Amino acid sequence: MFKVSENTVNSDFIVLDIWTYKIKVLICNITEGNLTLIWSAEVPQSKSDVVDWEIVNLSWVSATIKKAILKAWEKLENIPDDIVVCFNSQYLIYNFIGMNYLREDKNSQIKMSEIDDMIKKVEYKSIEKIKSKAESRVGIIDCEMKLITTSITSISIDGQRFSNPIWFTGKNIRFNLINVFAPVSKYNIFSSLIRNLWKNLISIIPIPISLPKLVENTPFINDENLFIDFGYSKTTVILQNNSEILGFNVINFWWSLLEEHFKNDLNLSYFEIKDIMLNLDINYEKYKKTFDDFFDVLFESVFIAIFDISSSASFRNIFLSWSSVTDLVKEKLKTFFDDKNFSKVKIFDPIIEDESFKDLGKYFNPSLSGRNGRGIGK
């Protein structure tokens, strides 16, 4: 579970999102559970500072973050001390685990502290399960891993399912959760970044966990959903059914692969490539074959990744996360799924069309990165 609500009750905090080619900073306020965006900024950074989601130049990334936060001083009197970091890494390891818990006093109300204690009891089981996976993923024997986030995907009390069990009573609690681990070395990089900013790190939020969270308070939560996050060098696919995350996969390419093709085969400069991609709809006809070939490979890879999560996967809604999702991309994806006999699927950009989220919708990545709030579907 994200600990933002516990640490920043009725207060302001910073959200930091580190992309390959830019830094995004948001100043937010949470009051009685309501999240409000106060201010936002983004600052470009060198692609050589972040490679494959990994920070490789700590001093320069730190300097870019400071530059983005300094922009806030132009608009605000005070900068919050608490900070939330949106985190992604090819070395993240996820462990799905379920547990039954019998309460001593079935008539007492369930509190957040009790849920935390239950989760801690199964933490060691997750650590044991991921040991071999950690060695193969990171390539280091006896790699030390750190639990950075726990997210409850479903919880029931005495057989009845609840979206929020706090203040309810009961005897038998059953919950499924995801524990997210990162190598201690990667976690220490972010800790160092925050220390250099003289800020208090209150939460690290992995992108694959954050996307489904964004529909929790919408009618979509009880539906069959697919989330696709198009990153610079990775594409993340997340499958959700009836509010429960079933699993996710990471595909090791997206924009970077297309960029390499333009650079090597067409001998274009970085700035020419950037203009083509940022104005994809306008440039599509000129580079139609290149784009079509790329979309075919990408969408087929996404389709394989979906059914690798579940051989019987089904979904009604697809939520896209990418700062440059266009109508063309959505139409191409819609056509692809029509051809795969998923003709009733609806594709949404932004993540959420609910009015209460629209102000935040155009800023977030992991991402509510919407443009016009339209859906595509039959």
Side-chain angles (χ1 to χ4, degrees), residues 99 101 113-122 173 175:
M99 179 185 178
Y101 171 74
S113 58
E114 182 180 345
I115 299 293
D116 285 341
D117 288 341
M118 285 190 285
I119 290 172
K120 287 176 183 176
K121 290 179 180 179
V122 298
I173 296 182
F175 62 88

Side-chain angles (χ1 to χ4, degrees), residues 53-198:
W53 283 342
E54 309 302 330
I55 296 173
V56 296
N57 191 327
L58 191 59
S59 61
W60 280 107
V61 171
S62 180
T64 306
I65 294 171
K66 288 177 182 177
K67 191 183 299 182
I69 292 178
L70 279 172
K71 280 191 171 184
W73 265 299
E74 300 172 4
K75 304 291 183 181
L76 306 173
E77 292 183 5
N78 299 301
I79 301 299
D81 292 324
D82 293 330
I83 190 165
V84 174
V85 177
C86 299
F87 180 70
N88 221 341
S89 170
Q90 60 186 320
Y91 301 114
L92 288 180
I93 295 178
Y94 304 85
N95 178 236
F96 291 77
I97 192 167
M99 179 185 178
N100 273 95
Y101 171 74
L102 294 176
R103 304 179 69 225
E104 292 183 3
D105 182 2
K106 67 179 182 180
N107 296 316
S108 64
Q109 292 181 326
I110 298 170
K111 298 180 180 178
M112 192 67 231
S113 58
E114 182 180 345
I115 299 293
D116 285 341
D117 288 341
M118 285 190 285
I119 290 172
K120 287 176 183 176
K121 290 179 180 179
V122 298
E123 180 180 334
Y124 76 94
K125 294 182 180 179
S126 282
I127 293 175
E128 289 298 317
K129 283 186 176 181
I130 67 159
K131 276 186 176 179
S132 60
K133 190 184 293 185
E135 289 182 5
S136 61
R137 179 75 59 83
V138 183
I140 299 175
I141 297 175
D142 199 24
C143 177
E144 187 179 359
M145 304 294 288
K146 181 177 180 62
L147 178 64
I148 60 170
T149 298
T150 295
S151 179
I152 294 178
T153 60
S154 67
I155 188 164
S156 61
I157 304 172
D158 296 333
Q160 181 178 348
R161 189 165 178 171
F162 291 86
S163 60
N164 185 351
I166 305 303
W167 307 126
F168 284 97
T169 61
K171 181 69 174 180
N172 191 315
I173 296 182
R174 168 75 186 179
F175 62 88
N176 295 311
L177 54 86
I178 303 173
N179 283 331
V180 185
F181 295 86
V184 170
S185 59
K186 303 300 178 184
Y187 174 81
N188 288 341
I189 288 174
F190 282 89
S191 296
S192 297
L193 274 175
I194 305 309
R195 281 198 302 271
N196 289 339
L197 298 171
W198 298 95

